[in-house]
Amino acid sequence: MKVKVKKLEELSKVEMSVVFTKEEYDAEYEKQFELELSEIKEPGFRPGKYPRSMYMKKYGDGRVHAKTVDALINESYYDALESKKIIFLDGDDYFEKDLLEKLKDNEWGYKAVVAVFPEVEAKDYFGIEAKKEEVNVTDADVEEEVNRNLKQKADLEVKEDGAIEKGDTVVFDFTGSVDGVEFEGGKAENYELEIGSGKFIPGFEDQMIGMKTNEEKVLKVTFPTQYDPKLAGKDAEFKVLVHEIKKCVLPELTDDYVKELEIENVNTVSEWKEFLKGNLVTDRTEAANNKYTGGKLSAAQADVFTKLLESNPVVIPQELIDREVQKKVDELSKTAEMYKIPLEYFLKYQGIESVEQYKELVTPGVKSNIQYEVIIMAIVKQEKIKLTKEDYEKYYVKVANGKDIKEVKKSLPKDKVTDYFKLLKAHDLVLENVK
């Protein structure tokens, strides 16, 4: 397979040409023909034993050729990009592939127009002058983080006696009504809810505290004003019946428990607490943008972020910005759907009048995030950033966010996270070198 790349006049797009030899095409054709024969069901023939000559006479080779074309393109596309170190935008919307066609008697090939990240030569990224924040991580903060991690592996144990307490998980039936009339979506059986999670409307969970198994009660609540207009601001009653109460039982914190986490050079409870404290310090001081931290920037962090963008202006294609904004809309739609609230009402609950207004509000942040990522990618390349064992452990913990580290490592092996972790390390280097 030969790969050539040509930059296009259109901003942030390249044309990639991929060429296969006749031998490569023929090998894939034979493979697809065997698969096709194995799937043919004809009376008197076992699977895979249908004669090729009879197949060709009855079906021709159009289907086999089509499968060969699909296989060659799909199996080569990402390898071709990787071979040329093209940092591409992932997703079907970001590339246009032509069909495989015969170029010469001994060659087959296809072309693809690929959307790529804009390239920039980053500068002035070390030594940014900004006020450094004082970070204070207390023992109480560490204990809270310990409990948060332990809760990820907690067991739910049925309470045979006793009343509902905050933190318990309750299985119950409920039926809601307004002015004595039941409303759509206000009824469920064997519903499971952690009391204190805030998943239900205000006052609902608090009124369940103190109830016991098999107890019935009528809860009186008022729907928020920013809610489904059919219910917004109305008083409601929920008749609930408790079936089961389960308490959260945390695993015992021992050195053996810590060892099972399989964190590099962390084998005891005290070492784990120091490790968590270090992560808390890092989390509170890093100047990550929303994409990396999921949180808001402090004044000092925003200062670093702003100065880095000012020193490295990057032109971002509007098409890319629009697509990333739409992704945020789609994510919000899924959240609204989860709560069974129409998107427009979900937005109004947040003080936003329409989807278009939401897009206008998030567009500047989306654009800045993309610019920042382009700059950070350039820093990774210019500083030739490599990852140590300690780096992998540090960023796995960050990605896990309290989940089982071993499970996270299984689902995200090193080859899947290396590039992302390099971005995080470059980002941290910028922060560490602030004046």
Side-chain angles (χ1 to χ4, degrees):
M1 180 177 74
K2 293 184 292 185
V3 182
K4 291 183 179 180
V5 175
K6 180 177 70 174
K7 286 188 177 182
L8 299 178
E9 290 184 8
E10 190 174 357
L11 191 62
S12 297
K13 286 191 177 182
V14 299
E15 181 184 80
M16 180 176 70
S17 301
V18 182
V19 177
F20 302 96
T21 64
K22 181 178 183 301
E23 289 74 20
E24 288 171 321
Y25 173 87
D26 289 346
E28 187 62 41
Y29 180 89
E30 289 300 316
K31 176 182 173 182
Q32 294 301 324
F33 214 135
E34 290 301 319
L35 288 172
E36 179 71 10
L37 291 176
S38 70
E39 295 171 358
I40 290 295
K41 294 179 181 179
E42 290 284 351
F45 295 96
R46 287 179 293 156
K49 299 299 181 180
Y50 192 61
R52 179 178 292 210
S53 58
M54 293 180 66
Y55 176 94
M56 290 293 289
K57 185 175 181 180
K58 184 172 183 179
Y59 300 103
D61 76 340
R63 186 157 45 175
V64 177
H65 172 71
K67 288 185 175 182
T68 301
V69 166
D70 287 343
L72 284 173
I73 293 177
N74 293 334
E75 292 174 10
S76 67
Y77 180 73
Y78 290 105
D79 288 341
L81 290 170
E82 179 64 26
S83 71
K84 293 298 181 180
K85 305 297 181 185
I86 296 174
I87 303 175
F88 58 93
L89 302 178
D90 202 5
D92 291 341
D93 290 340
Y94 290 126
F95 59 82
E96 305 161 15
K97 288 181 291 193
D98 294 335
L99 291 176
L100 189 78
E101 59 182 1
K102 198 168 188 178
L103 305 177
K104 302 176 182 177
D105 289 341
N106 60 345
E107 285 185 351
W108 291 80
Y110 69 93
K111 292 181 179 180
V113 175
V114 186
V116 296
F117 269 97
E119 291 186 4
V120 66
E121 176 128 6
K123 61 182 181 179
D124 302 331
Y125 47 86
F126 288 157
I128 295 174
E129 293 187 6
K131 180 182 176 182
K132 291 190 177 181
E133 294 180 278
E134 294 295 326
V135 175
N136 182 33
V137 176
T138 66
D139 290 342
D141 293 331
V142 175
E143 290 304 318
E144 183 179 342
E145 185 69 6
V146 167
N147 287 327
R148 191 177 72 86
N149 279 268
L150 290 176
K151 195 172 181 180
Q152 296 288 337
K153 293 191 174 183
D155 292 323
L156 291 177
E157 186 178 286
V158 176
K159 293 171 72 169
E160 300 298 341
D161 298 305
I164 295 173
E165 299 175 81
K166 187 175 181 179
D168 287 344
T169 295
V170 183
V171 179
F172 64 104
D173 300 339
F174 66 84
T175 302
S177 61
V178 173
D179 297 329
V181 180
E182 295 182 13
F183 53 87
E184 185 179 355
K187 186 175 183 177
E189 295 181 350
N190 295 314
Y191 191 90
E192 190 169 277
L193 173 70
E194 180 185 337
I195 302 301
S197 64
K199 290 183 178 179
F200 271 45
I201 59 177
F204 189 104
E205 296 172 35
D206 290 341
Q207 293 180 62
M208 291 189 69
I209 292 175
M211 292 183 68
K212 297 182 178 180
T213 302
N214 297 322
E215 182 179 347
E216 285 187 293
K217 185 176 180 179
V218 175
L219 313 181
K220 296 185 178 182
V221 297
T222 301
F223 283 102
T225 54
Q226 298 292 340
Y227 203 75
D228 185 326
K230 294 178 182 177
L231 300 171
K234 293 183 178 181
D235 294 330
E237 291 186 349
F238 282 86
K239 183 178 180 180
V240 301
L241 169 62
V242 176
H243 292 302
E244 190 175 61
I245 305 171
K246 294 181 279 189
K247 64 180 179 180
C248 180
V249 181
L250 301 179
E252 184 180 1
L253 181 56
T254 64
D255 289 348
D256 287 337
Y257 172 84
V258 173
K259 289 174 183 176
E260 289 179 1
L261 297 177
E262 296 183 357
I263 301 174
E264 191 81 19
N265 299 322
V266 177
N267 299 297
T268 66
V269 172
S270 60
E271 288 174 349
W272 188 44
K273 288 185 177 181
E274 282 299 312
F275 179 78
L276 293 176
K277 184 175 183 178
N279 286 338
L280 286 173
V281 170
T282 299
D283 289 344
R284 293 182 183 187
T285 55
E286 67 179 3
N289 57 46
N290 287 341
K291 181 170 183 179
Y292 295 134
T293 66
K296 294 181 179 179
L297 301 178
S298 68
Q301 292 171 337
D303 191 27
V304 174
F305 182 66
T306 300
K307 287 180 178 178
L308 188 62
L309 293 182
E310 287 175 351
S311 300
N312 296 275
V314 182
V315 178
I316 304 298
Q318 188 61 43
E319 178 187 30
L320 173 54
I321 297 171
D322 292 342
R323 286 175 175 175
E324 293 304 307
V325 167
Q326 186 58 47
K327 282 184 181 180
K328 295 186 77 68
V329 173
D330 294 341
E331 289 169 5
L332 201 66
S333 296
K334 289 179 182 178
T335 303
E337 186 178 341
M338 182 177 68
Y339 287 104
K340 297 181 179 179
I341 302 174
L343 178 59
E344 56 268 32
Y345 298 126
F346 190 75
L347 287 170
K348 287 181 179 179
Y349 185 74
Q350 302 175 60
I352 302 171
E353 291 301 318
S354 65
V355 173
E356 288 307 311
Q357 185 185 9
Y358 175 76
K359 287 182 176 181
E360 290 176 9
L361 290 170
V362 301
T363 293
V366 167
K367 181 179 179 181
S368 294
N369 285 347
I370 298 171
Q371 290 173 319
Y372 184 79
E373 188 167 355
V374 170
I375 297 166
I376 291 295
M377 289 168 66
I379 294 172
V380 169
K381 184 178 180 180
Q382 290 168 215
E383 295 297 321
K384 299 178 181 178
I385 287 177
K386 295 181 180 179
L387 298 170
T388 64
K389 286 184 179 180
E390 291 75 17
D391 290 328
Y392 277 107
E393 292 301 328
K394 173 183 176 181
Y395 296 126
Y396 265 125
V397 170
K398 182 182 292 294
V399 170
N401 193 28
K403 296 178 182 178
D404 190 320
I405 292 290
K406 290 189 289 186
E407 292 302 316
V408 171
K409 288 180 177 179
K410 283 182 183 177
S411 61
L412 295 171
K414 283 186 177 181
D415 63 313
K416 300 292 185 183
V417 298
T418 294
D419 289 341
Y420 178 60
F421 284 2
K422 284 181 178 180
L423 293 177
L424 295 181
K425 185 171 182 177
H427 163 77
D428 287 344
L429 284 173
V430 171
L431 301 182
E432 291 167 9
N433 285 278
V434 168
K435 287 185 180 179

PDB file of all heavy atoms in Angstrom, residues 247-258:
ATOM      1  N   LYS A 247     -28.546  -0.302  52.696  1.00  0.00           N
ATOM      2  CA  LYS A 247     -27.520   0.639  53.142  1.00  0.00           C
ATOM      3  C   LYS A 247     -26.220   0.392  52.392  1.00  0.00           C
ATOM      4  O   LYS A 247     -25.943  -0.728  51.943  1.00  0.00           O
ATOM      5  CB  LYS A 247     -27.288   0.523  54.653  1.00  0.00           C
ATOM      6  CG  LYS A 247     -26.743  -0.816  55.125  1.00  0.00           C
ATOM      7  CD  LYS A 247     -26.556  -0.812  56.647  1.00  0.00           C
ATOM      8  CE  LYS A 247     -26.033  -2.167  57.131  1.00  0.00           C
ATOM      9  NZ  LYS A 247     -25.846  -2.196  58.593  1.00  0.00           N
ATOM     10  N   CYS A 248     -25.449   1.432  52.284  1.00  0.00           N
ATOM     11  CA  CYS A 248     -24.171   1.370  51.571  1.00  0.00           C
ATOM     12  C   CYS A 248     -23.085   0.892  52.541  1.00  0.00           C
ATOM     13  O   CYS A 248     -22.849   1.524  53.574  1.00  0.00           O
ATOM     14  CB  CYS A 248     -23.840   2.756  51.024  1.00  0.00           C
ATOM     15  SG  CYS A 248     -22.294   2.847  50.130  1.00  0.00           S
ATOM     16  N   VAL A 249     -22.450  -0.232  52.210  1.00  0.00           N
ATOM     17  CA  VAL A 249     -21.392  -0.788  53.056  1.00  0.00           C
ATOM     18  C   VAL A 249     -20.056  -0.626  52.333  1.00  0.00           C
ATOM     19  O   VAL A 249     -19.804  -1.268  51.315  1.00  0.00           O
ATOM     20  CB  VAL A 249     -21.640  -2.275  53.375  1.00  0.00           C
ATOM     21  CG1 VAL A 249     -20.531  -2.824  54.280  1.00  0.00           C
ATOM     22  CG2 VAL A 249     -23.006  -2.450  54.033  1.00  0.00           C
ATOM     23  N   LEU A 250     -19.207   0.243  52.851  1.00  0.00           N
ATOM     24  CA  LEU A 250     -17.906   0.500  52.227  1.00  0.00           C
ATOM     25  C   LEU A 250     -16.929  -0.628  52.512  1.00  0.00           C
ATOM     26  O   LEU A 250     -16.968  -1.235  53.593  1.00  0.00           O
ATOM     27  CB  LEU A 250     -17.323   1.819  52.744  1.00  0.00           C
ATOM     28  CG  LEU A 250     -18.145   3.087  52.517  1.00  0.00           C
ATOM     29  CD1 LEU A 250     -17.418   4.286  53.120  1.00  0.00           C
ATOM     30  CD2 LEU A 250     -18.393   3.313  51.042  1.00  0.00           C
ATOM     31  N   PRO A 251     -16.044  -0.927  51.574  1.00  0.00           N
ATOM     32  CA  PRO A 251     -15.012  -1.939  51.845  1.00  0.00           C
ATOM     33  C   PRO A 251     -14.065  -1.441  52.935  1.00  0.00           C
ATOM     34  O   PRO A 251     -13.889  -0.236  53.120  1.00  0.00           O
ATOM     35  CB  PRO A 251     -14.294  -2.079  50.503  1.00  0.00           C
ATOM     36  CG  PRO A 251     -14.577  -0.810  49.778  1.00  0.00           C
ATOM     37  CD  PRO A 251     -15.926  -0.358  50.222  1.00  0.00           C
ATOM     38  N   GLU A 252     -13.461  -2.365  53.647  1.00  0.00           N
ATOM     39  CA  GLU A 252     -12.526  -2.000  54.714  1.00  0.00           C
ATOM     40  C   GLU A 252     -11.243  -1.447  54.090  1.00  0.00           C
ATOM     41  O   GLU A 252     -10.689  -2.048  53.157  1.00  0.00           O
ATOM     42  CB  GLU A 252     -12.206  -3.220  55.581  1.00  0.00           C
ATOM     43  CG  GLU A 252     -11.316  -2.897  56.767  1.00  0.00           C
ATOM     44  CD  GLU A 252     -11.011  -4.116  57.619  1.00  0.00           C
ATOM     45  OE1 GLU A 252     -11.477  -5.227  57.263  1.00  0.00           O
ATOM     46  OE2 GLU A 252     -10.279  -3.971  58.618  1.00  0.00           O
ATOM     47  N   LEU A 253     -10.813  -0.323  54.587  1.00  0.00           N
ATOM     48  CA  LEU A 253      -9.610   0.315  54.050  1.00  0.00           C
ATOM     49  C   LEU A 253      -8.374  -0.290  54.711  1.00  0.00           C
ATOM     50  O   LEU A 253      -8.068  -0.001  55.870  1.00  0.00           O
ATOM     51  CB  LEU A 253      -9.654   1.823  54.293  1.00  0.00           C
ATOM     52  CG  LEU A 253      -8.460   2.633  53.765  1.00  0.00           C
ATOM     53  CD1 LEU A 253      -8.254   2.399  52.283  1.00  0.00           C
ATOM     54  CD2 LEU A 253      -8.646   4.115  54.051  1.00  0.00           C
ATOM     55  N   THR A 254      -7.681  -1.140  53.964  1.00  0.00           N
ATOM     56  CA  THR A 254      -6.467  -1.804  54.455  1.00  0.00           C
ATOM     57  C   THR A 254      -5.386  -1.724  53.388  1.00  0.00           C
ATOM     58  O   THR A 254      -5.643  -1.344  52.248  1.00  0.00           O
ATOM     59  CB  THR A 254      -6.745  -3.293  54.770  1.00  0.00           C
ATOM     60  OG1 THR A 254      -7.101  -3.951  53.535  1.00  0.00           O
ATOM     61  CG2 THR A 254      -7.874  -3.446  55.776  1.00  0.00           C
ATOM     62  N   ASP A 255      -4.175  -2.123  53.774  1.00  0.00           N
ATOM     63  CA  ASP A 255      -3.081  -2.161  52.800  1.00  0.00           C
ATOM     64  C   ASP A 255      -3.402  -3.135  51.669  1.00  0.00           C
ATOM     65  O   ASP A 255      -3.058  -2.891  50.501  1.00  0.00           O
ATOM     66  CB  ASP A 255      -1.767  -2.574  53.486  1.00  0.00           C
ATOM     67  CG  ASP A 255      -1.233  -1.476  54.406  1.00  0.00           C
ATOM     68  OD1 ASP A 255      -1.732  -0.346  54.341  1.00  0.00           O
ATOM     69  OD2 ASP A 255      -0.312  -1.769  55.191  1.00  0.00           O
ATOM     70  N   ASP A 256      -4.083  -4.248  52.007  1.00  0.00           N
ATOM     71  CA  ASP A 256      -4.437  -5.228  50.973  1.00  0.00           C
ATOM     72  C   ASP A 256      -5.401  -4.619  49.956  1.00  0.00           C
ATOM     73  O   ASP A 256      -5.300  -4.875  48.750  1.00  0.00           O
ATOM     74  CB  ASP A 256      -5.087  -6.467  51.616  1.00  0.00           C
ATOM     75  CG  ASP A 256      -4.069  -7.323  52.359  1.00  0.00           C
ATOM     76  OD1 ASP A 256      -2.864  -7.238  52.041  1.00  0.00           O
ATOM     77  OD2 ASP A 256      -4.484  -8.071  53.268  1.00  0.00           O
ATOM     78  N   TYR A 257      -6.333  -3.811  50.441  1.00  0.00           N
ATOM     79  CA  TYR A 257      -7.269  -3.136  49.532  1.00  0.00           C
ATOM     80  C   TYR A 257      -6.511  -2.221  48.578  1.00  0.00           C
ATOM     81  O   TYR A 257      -6.770  -2.193  47.374  1.00  0.00           O
ATOM     82  CB  TYR A 257      -8.287  -2.333  50.336  1.00  0.00           C
ATOM     83  CG  TYR A 257      -9.167  -1.442  49.481  1.00  0.00           C
ATOM     84  CD1 TYR A 257     -10.301  -1.951  48.864  1.00  0.00           C
ATOM     85  CD2 TYR A 257      -8.841  -0.102  49.282  1.00  0.00           C
ATOM     86  CE1 TYR A 257     -11.099  -1.133  48.062  1.00  0.00           C
ATOM     87  CE2 TYR A 257      -9.637   0.713  48.480  1.00  0.00           C
ATOM     88  CZ  TYR A 257     -10.757   0.189  47.876  1.00  0.00           C
ATOM     89  OH  TYR A 257     -11.530   0.986  47.081  1.00  0.00           O
ATOM     90  N   VAL A 258      -5.546  -1.479  49.134  1.00  0.00           N
ATOM     91  CA  VAL A 258      -4.773  -0.544  48.324  1.00  0.00           C
ATOM     92  C   VAL A 258      -3.973  -1.287  47.259  1.00  0.00           C
ATOM     93  O   VAL A 258      -3.892  -0.859  46.106  1.00  0.00           O
ATOM     94  CB  VAL A 258      -3.841   0.297  49.222  1.00  0.00           C
ATOM     95  CG1 VAL A 258      -2.907   1.145  48.362  1.00  0.00           C
ATOM     96  CG2 VAL A 258      -4.655   1.188  50.149  1.00  0.00           C
TER      97      VAL A 258
END
